[in-house]
Amino acid sequence: MATEPVRLRGGIATGVGSWPGADPREAAGTIVGELGELPHLVELPARGAGADLIGRVSALLVDLRFDTTPRGYRLAPRPGAVSRRAHDLLRTDLDALEEAWENAGLSGRGHPVKVQAAGPLTLAAQVELPGGHRVLTDSGAVRDLAESLAEGLAEHVAEVRKRLGAQVVLQLDEPSLSAVLDGSLRGVSVLNTVRALPEPEALALLDTVITAQSAPVLVHSCAEPPALGLLRRSAADAIGFDLSTIGTEQLDDVGEALEAGKQLMLGVIPTGVPATEVTWRTFAEPGVRLIDRLGFGRRTLAQRVAVGPACGLAGVPLEWSRRALRLATDVARAYAEEPEELSFS
């Protein structure tokens, strides 16, 4: 379980993970400069195999590794080029973050930093067994993958904590969680189906990874809609989601998550470039209206709600990515300083 104080406090901005381009030093410098309260270790999927959300995990697993297929990644019997590349890219990214950390005067100060990795359910959904079926179709392989991930992430968190002299927040990305639960994943052919994973099994797998960590854990999902009921019942300290995907039917789950003591990370800045001119007020309003509608005091925004982009920013222009972070920071500042005074026409 987490032994550090939860650092995903309210009234701050952070990023989801991915970033455009292929220059880790430039990316790290931008993230540390723009997201002063909770910077994160970026993912740069434009670099290819081993650099994206799924491929990076090959550098984090213990006694498991990936190879590539025409469809993505599969478990491999021995370390290969993909595994080595994932390790090399992760080392490069950590070196770049450490350099930016030192340049910002943050080394050894216990300043918080966030690291991300695909969660066990998304991995089981997106990675194949050697025979071509999804890992999710083999319950034993799913357990092995979750246990390997739990151990590897604990080591990763310890390394980042030591290298930066920082407190670490771990984010587990679960974009495939809703598909895992509703059975909408395709098999290798129309004759092969992937069963819906019962919520108790999914929750146990997710908590296997969460409870093995010495850092507070945020579980983030860009799914539409996110599986908030399961996330609320998980051992995670915080849950994150794209606020635009939340409809009336999800409101109770959001309220119950807050009542259960969860922190929220609201994705309020769109990943796509808006067609019209926008300001921070454009994106502050939905979060304020959510808290008002749930009947919580506005101070909840300052105490329990962090903000960021709706999802990763790798697929959008660099100019908008930078502006998205600045807008998120402005929204977070408004939530932290004057939530009761915010009004919208």
Side-chain angles (χ1 to χ4, degrees):
M1 295 294 290
T3 58
E4 294 180 327
V6 175
R7 286 297 183 181
L8 191 73
R9 56 184 176 81
I12 64 170
T14 189
V16 172
S18 68
W19 190 253
D23 186 337
R25 294 178 68 185
E26 180 182 25
T30 298
I31 295 300
V32 172
E34 296 287 351
L35 297 173
E37 297 201 73
L38 187 59
H40 62 281
L41 177 65
V42 295
E43 299 156 4
L44 300 171
R47 294 177 298 180
D52 60 324
L53 175 67
I54 303 299
R56 167 160 282 184
V57 176
S58 188
L60 298 171
L61 296 173
V62 175
D63 297 328
L64 292 175
R65 71 282 303 167
F66 299 159
D67 200 354
T68 55
T69 76
R71 291 181 295 272
Y73 295 94
R74 70 173 48 169
L75 292 175
R78 63 186 63 84
V82 171
S83 179
R84 289 191 294 272
R85 189 167 194 271
H87 277 91
D88 290 344
L89 290 172
L90 180 57
R91 297 273 77 74
T92 298
D93 292 348
L94 285 172
D95 290 344
L97 178 60
E98 186 173 9
E99 179 181 330
W101 210 251
E102 291 174 356
N103 291 340
L106 298 176
S107 296
R109 292 175 50 187
H111 192 82
V113 66
K114 181 165 66 68
V115 298
Q116 303 83 220
L121 299 167
T122 291
L123 281 179
Q126 298 301 325
V127 177
E128 297 177 357
L129 295 163
H133 295 276
R134 297 178 191 266
V135 171
L136 193 61
T137 62
D138 184 325
S139 58
V142 173
R143 286 193 300 272
D144 290 345
L145 188 61
E147 291 170 359
S148 175
L149 179 65
E151 184 178 351
L153 285 176
E155 294 175 358
H156 180 51
V157 165
E159 179 185 2
V160 173
R161 183 184 292 132
K162 181 178 180 180
R163 286 182 65 156
L164 303 185
Q167 294 197 62
V168 180
V169 173
L170 172 63
Q171 176 180 308
L172 296 177
D173 286 309
E174 287 286 8
S176 299
L177 175 57
S178 296
V180 168
L181 295 176
D182 65 25
S184 61
L185 292 166
R186 293 182 178 180
V188 294
S189 75
V190 294
L191 299 178
N192 297 109
T193 59
V194 180
R195 72 180 180 107
L197 192 67
E199 282 203 9
E201 291 183 36
L203 184 62
L205 290 165
L206 186 58
D207 281 350
T208 292
V209 177
I210 294 172
T211 57
Q213 307 309 313
S214 63
V217 176
L218 157 70
V219 181
H220 183 272
S221 179
C222 292
E224 185 175 346
L228 294 182
L230 182 143
L231 295 180
R232 171 178 55 81
R233 292 189 293 276
S234 76
D237 300 280
I239 59 177
F241 49 87
D242 177 355
L243 182 53
S244 70
T245 66
I246 301 302
T248 302
E249 60 274 19
Q250 283 85 42
L251 288 178
D252 285 346
D253 283 324
V254 177
E256 290 171 8
L258 285 169
E259 290 174 350
K262 305 288 190 194
Q263 303 289 104
L264 299 183
M265 175 184 163
L266 298 183
V268 298
I269 312 298
T271 54
V273 182
T276 59
E277 184 59 32
V278 294
T279 70
W280 66 266
R281 298 182 66 84
T282 308
F283 304 119
E285 181 175 0
V288 174
R289 295 201 183 282
L290 173 69
I291 294 301
D292 288 350
R293 187 172 182 182
L294 292 173
F296 290 89
R298 290 272 184 96
R299 292 306 300 171
T300 302
L301 293 163
Q303 297 165 351
R304 307 277 297 284
V305 177
V307 299
C311 205
L313 295 168
V316 299
L318 182 60
E319 181 181 358
W320 172 249
S321 295
R322 289 171 171 160
R323 189 173 179 214
L325 298 188
R326 291 192 290 270
L327 286 166
T329 300
D330 289 342
V331 172
R333 185 179 298 114
Y335 285 1
E337 294 178 355
E338 49 185 32
E340 295 92 346
E341 305 302 319
L342 291 173
S343 62
F344 308 93
S345 58

